Amino acid sequence: MVTSFRHSIFIMIMLTVDVLSQTVVPAGNISGHWTKAGSPYQIVIGDVTIPSAETLTIDSGVVVQLDLGLNLKVDGTLNALGTKTDSIRFTTAQSVPAVGQWGAIIVAGTANISFAVVEYGNGSTGSLGGAISSTSWVTKLQI
């Protein structure tokens, strides 16, 4: 009985830690530093934009979840530098993933992206989808 109770408490604590680590990103302008500790970052309210002269840095291991039709617009600088062993993932916020569920990463500024997975976006490339659109220079794209 005591062991069962302790096991239940442990599961509740683990579920609480998982819920507390989510970060809901408000619609509008964003910048700063997204760390693995705050992951997943959920863009579920409206499009977000990195304004000109601003920078968003995303650490390796971070998951960015976008909801139906929403976009990450880059007018400033996006530094999303994953590693071979700990990539960054841009994916759907839906519990049942399907191609085309979110919009795109739209680059009009500068994007430095390496070791990233882009899946289920509004693109038809590959079996998992994923979309990156650029009207400017993408200085490093290694996916």
Side-chain angles (χ1 to χ4, degrees):
M1 179 77 169
V2 173
T3 302
S4 178
F5 178 74
R6 286 182 186 161
H7 183 67
S8 297
I9 295 292
F10 176 75
I11 289 172
M12 288 174 35
I13 290 170
M14 293 308 294
L15 290 174
T16 303
V17 168
D18 186 47
V19 169
L20 292 177
S21 67
Q22 299 177 54
T23 303
V24 176
V25 179
N29 292 339
I30 59 170
S31 63
H33 188 183
W34 290 1
T35 64
K36 196 171 181 178
S39 184
Y41 289 83
Q42 299 177 320
I43 300 170
V44 295
I45 299 168
D47 287 348
V48 294
T49 302
I50 303 168
S52 179
E54 296 287 332
T55 299
L56 174 64
T57 300
I58 302 176
D59 287 350
S60 62
V62 168
V63 175
V64 180
Q65 299 173 327
L66 294 97
D67 213 348
L68 300 173
L70 297 184
N71 300 296
L72 169 57
K73 299 175 183 177
V74 181
D75 293 334
T77 301
L78 171 63
N79 293 317
L81 306 175
T83 66
K84 285 182 182 181
T85 58
D86 204 12
S87 63
I88 296 168
R89 181 173 300 271
F90 295 91
T91 191
T92 180
Q94 298 298 301
S95 59
V96 179
V99 174
Q101 288 184 327
W102 58 278
I105 300 170
I106 303 169
V107 181
T110 302
N112 302 298
I113 302 172
S114 64
F115 297 104
V117 175
V118 181
E119 61 186 1
Y120 305 116
N122 192 13
S124 58
T125 57
S127 62
L128 294 180
I132 297 178
S133 171
S134 178
T135 59
S136 184
W137 293 101
V138 177
T139 58
K140 182 177 183 181
L141 180 61
Q142 182 176 354
I143 297 180

